[in-house]
Amino acid sequence: DTGVSQDPRHKITKRGQNVTFRCDPISEHNRLYWYRQTLGQGPEFLTYFQNEAQLEKSRLLSDRFSAERPKGSFSTLEIQRTEQGDSAMYLCASSRGTSGRPGEDTQYFGPGTRLTVL
Amino acid sequence: DAKTTQPNSMESNEEEPVHLPCNHSTISGTDYIHWYRQLPSQGPEYVIHGLTSNVNNRMASLAIAEDRKSSTLILHRATLRDAAVYYCILRLYGGSQGNLIFGKGTKLSVKP
């Protein structure tokens, strides 16, 4: 079990540029989540996948954001035309999924990607 | 998800027990109580969860009130490494909701 990994760990970009982040979940986990965290706040949910299917998206996920998990393994989160308000920590988590019993499901988080938009 | 209320911050001395409270007066009978913590510059980390009975694991203990309207995370001997933000989260037993809903949590400081 190597844990959830995210790449890059830090990204600095200029306003208007596109950025893409990658998340590699724990290998046997079929659920994958993306969260965003700004300074002093708890993480906020963005979207999640069950295998390759994107099952839920938050209102926070504007049309500039897109996430994929093409083969049910790693996932990418792309932000187009970045804005300064996109500056945040982007966290990925994975879980086994518990067949309709989310109350028992435990999520394992990666170290996050820190995005700074200048 | 039902709402939880936690103190903004708490302080502890190293090697002393720490009791982190969480109020969840609107909890339903099928909500699990989860605790996660987030160390500085890291992603959140699962600590413990329970439904009705008290729970123990290698990291902590979870004491759940008989009416389930509150719970307490207990760190038996705080270390400097336990300095983190602790989040109390309610999760519905069934249904399709997958994500965790984090509040602001309790920032625990541990003094040597």
Side-chain angles (χ1 to χ4, degrees):
Chain A
D1 181 352
T2 57
V4 178
S5 61
Q6 293 188 245
D7 184 68
R9 294 292 306 278
H10 303 274
K11 179 72 177 178
I12 300 174
T13 191
K14 292 183 179 178
R15 187 162 47 102
Q17 298 293 305
N18 299 342
V19 294
T20 300
F21 310 141
R22 177 179 169 123
C23 171
D24 286 89
I26 294 171
S27 58
E28 65 269 25
H29 285 184
N30 55 37
R31 286 195 171 188
L32 187 148
Y33 309 80
W34 286 99
Y35 293 82
R36 182 177 73 182
Q37 185 173 26
T38 54
L39 204 60
Q41 304 296 316
E44 296 172 293
F45 168 72
L46 292 178
T47 188
Y48 93 92
F49 294 83
Q50 172 95 13
N51 300 312
E52 64 274 13
Q54 189 172 16
L55 293 189
E56 194 170 339
K57 291 195 285 187
S58 160
R59 288 191 304 272
L60 293 175
L61 210 68
S62 75
D63 55 6
R64 295 184 299 105
F65 288 69
S66 63
E68 291 184 345
R69 193 182 184 199
K71 295 182 181 179
S73 56
F74 74 92
S75 175
T76 57
L77 177 68
E78 181 183 16
I79 309 175
Q80 296 183 327
R81 306 181 302 281
T82 52
E83 301 172 356
Q84 288 183 324
D86 297 331
S87 295
M89 175 75 82
Y90 290 83
L91 293 160
C92 175
S94 70
S95 71
R96 292 183 187 277
T98 51
S99 302
R101 294 186 290 116
E104 290 269 39
D105 201 27
T106 299
Q107 295 185 17
Y108 296 82
F109 285 79
T113 295
R114 167 77 62 192
L115 173 66
T116 302
V117 182
L118 302 175
Chain B
D1 282 316
K3 185 177 169 60
T4 62
T5 304
Q6 300 177 253
N8 290 334
S9 62
M10 291 184 65
E11 276 191 357
S12 172
N13 294 317
E14 197 176 10
E15 298 191 5
E16 289 186 355
V18 182
H19 290 232
L20 296 161
C22 180
N23 287 320
H24 28 78
S25 57
T26 59
I27 192 170
S28 77
T30 51
D31 282 336
Y32 276 79
I33 301 158
H34 283 242
W35 284 81
Y36 282 74
R37 72 179 184 181
Q38 188 170 22
L39 280 63
S41 302
Q42 295 189 25
E45 173 187 33
Y46 167 78
V47 178
I48 200 167
H49 77 277
L51 184 61
T52 56
S53 303
N54 295 344
V55 184
N56 300 298
N57 66 21
R58 63 174 180 82
M59 289 181 70
S61 295
L62 176 60
I64 301 172
E66 200 168 326
D67 63 6
R68 302 208 328 122
K69 293 183 184 298
S70 66
S71 61
T72 302
L73 180 71
I74 302 166
L75 307 179
H76 295 286
R77 289 182 69 218
T79 68
L80 297 178
R81 198 192 170 278
D82 291 322
V85 178
Y86 287 78
Y87 297 99
C88 170
I89 299 168
L90 300 183
R91 303 212 67 205
L92 190 64
Y93 174 81
S96 61
Q97 179 249 338
N99 55 288
L100 297 170
I101 299 176
F102 290 84
K104 289 193 175 182
T106 297
K107 184 173 182 179
L108 176 66
S109 303
V110 180
K111 296 184 288 185

